[in-house]
Amino acid sequence: MKLPKYDINKYDPKRMMAIPAVLFGLALVIVGITFALTGMPVTPGIDFAGGTAVTIHTDDTKEEIVAFYSGYDLKSIDEGIGSGGYYLKFGPMSNEDMMKFNNYTLSKYPEASIDQIGANFGATLQSQAMWAILFAFIGMAVVVFLAFRKVIPAITVVSAGIADITITAAVMNLVGIELSLATTAALLMLIGYSVDSNILLTTKVLKRQGKLEEKMEGAFRTGIIMTTTTLAAIVAMFIVAFIGQVPTLYSIAAVLIIGLISDIIFTWGFNAGVLRLYLSGSEKSQAMPKQSKKDNAGAKQ
């Protein structure tokens, strides 16, 4: 089985850039709407919005549990916490309502585990998560600029990372994956994956000798093997988490799958298109002085 080849001459670079650019524009709209509604680019989960989490072990069905908590703001109920286990999430409550809720829950499920995250603590976690992502991008940008010392390629690598995170955040909003400590960690991991694939492409194209077509083909072969191998492992984790009903691993795997697919589109579409235009412009600018020298020599003769 032969690996797919990246035929750089087959597509116009501007067309290569068009689809990723449109996806990024749509993602910005979705993220902007979510930010206007929730104050965060992704719908915050209990970790950031505050609320109450309850773990219970019971033979009751999900419908019976939902009926029991009909008077409370039950956000979600997940299965798989051990045998007959359920993990319930509720919206924020006042201290008085929380006391009543605890008594109400323990009256039927005396061994239930109840954890509350206050709105103020959730806001603190929000701030820390945003700062973590911001510092990750700043660190990435500094390393990229030091590595290449060329403005356009460096900006393209950083832009690809921003686009990957933005598109992933938009898809998370569409499919209902909330922002939690676990998914924040997954987003930070995506920054590393994005930078890795884009630096691979940029390094092979800028710092190696040979024809552009050959360098692009070699970079694509190496990059696609790296990304698809990682993607396959994460898909396996996603399937195991889905079957075993492990919400945290399921969310992390889902975010990484979305992000890696986005990274493939943006790296080998937008970034490759930008580099092709950039190198074509550089070759023309280098050829012009040579041509002018020949013309001057002919004029003297």
Side-chain angles (χ1 to χ4, degrees), residues 34 38 40-53 75-76 87 89-92 117-119 121-123 125-126 172-173 176-184 251:
T34 305
T38 66
M40 293 194 73
V42 183
T43 303
I46 189 173
D47 293 338
F48 299 120
T52 303
K75 298 291 187 182
S76 65
Y87 185 69
K89 295 180 182 179
F90 297 85
I117 298 178
F121 183 67
L125 289 179
Q126 285 185 33
M172 288 172 65
N173 290 325
I177 300 176
E178 296 179 337
L179 186 66
S180 62
L181 293 175
T183 53
T184 299
S251 298

Side-chain angles (χ1 to χ4, degrees), residues 13-247:
K14 293 182 180 179
R15 291 185 179 180
M16 291 168 58
M17 297 161 58
I19 294 177
V22 170
L23 289 175
F24 181 55
L26 293 173
L28 281 176
V29 173
I30 295 171
V31 169
I33 293 173
T34 305
F35 188 85
L37 295 175
T38 66
M40 293 194 73
V42 183
T43 303
I46 189 173
D47 293 338
F48 299 120
T52 303
V54 179
T55 304
I56 60 175
H57 295 270
T58 178
D59 293 329
D60 292 351
T61 64
K62 184 179 291 187
E63 291 73 19
E64 290 174 333
I65 296 173
V66 171
F68 178 73
Y69 287 108
S70 59
Y72 292 93
D73 183 19
L74 178 58
K75 298 291 187 182
S76 65
I77 176 170
D78 298 313
E79 301 179 52
I81 313 299
S83 177
Y86 294 92
Y87 185 69
L88 292 72
K89 295 180 182 179
F90 297 85
M93 307 178 195
S94 65
N95 290 333
E96 183 179 352
D97 290 337
M98 185 64 194
M99 293 297 294
K100 293 179 180 179
F101 175 82
N102 289 349
N103 294 331
Y104 183 73
T105 298
L106 295 175
S107 66
K108 185 172 183 180
Y109 306 111
E111 296 182 358
S113 173
I114 304 173
D115 299 305
Q116 183 181 24
I117 298 178
N120 292 334
F121 183 67
T124 301
L125 289 179
Q126 285 185 33
S127 176
Q128 291 176 346
M130 297 303 292
W131 278 109
I133 294 176
L134 178 62
F135 280 126
F137 271 113
I138 292 174
M140 173 190 71
V142 170
V143 171
V144 169
F145 276 102
L146 290 176
F148 295 108
R149 300 182 185 277
K150 294 181 180 180
V151 176
I152 293 179
I155 289 178
T156 305
V157 173
V158 175
S159 299
I162 294 173
D164 288 345
I165 297 298
T166 304
I167 294 172
T168 303
V171 177
M172 288 172 65
N173 290 325
L174 292 176
V175 301
I177 300 176
E178 296 179 337
L179 186 66
S180 62
L181 293 175
T183 53
T184 299
L187 290 173
L188 291 171
M189 292 171 64
L190 279 179
I191 296 176
Y193 285 127
S194 174
V195 172
D196 189 32
S197 59
N198 281 278
I199 285 181
L200 168 71
L201 169 61
T202 307
T203 300
K204 287 207 170 189
V205 170
L206 292 182
K207 297 189 175 183
R208 291 197 176 185
Q209 301 297 322
K211 294 182 179 179
L212 176 60
E213 295 86 350
E214 295 174 352
K215 291 189 290 184
M216 280 285 185
E217 183 180 333
F220 178 75
R221 186 185 298 111
T222 304
I224 207 68
I225 290 174
M226 289 169 50
T227 305
T228 52
T229 301
T230 305
L231 188 59
I234 294 172
V235 168
M237 183 175 75
F238 177 85
I239 294 172
V240 171
F242 179 78
I243 294 174
Q245 290 295 306
V246 185

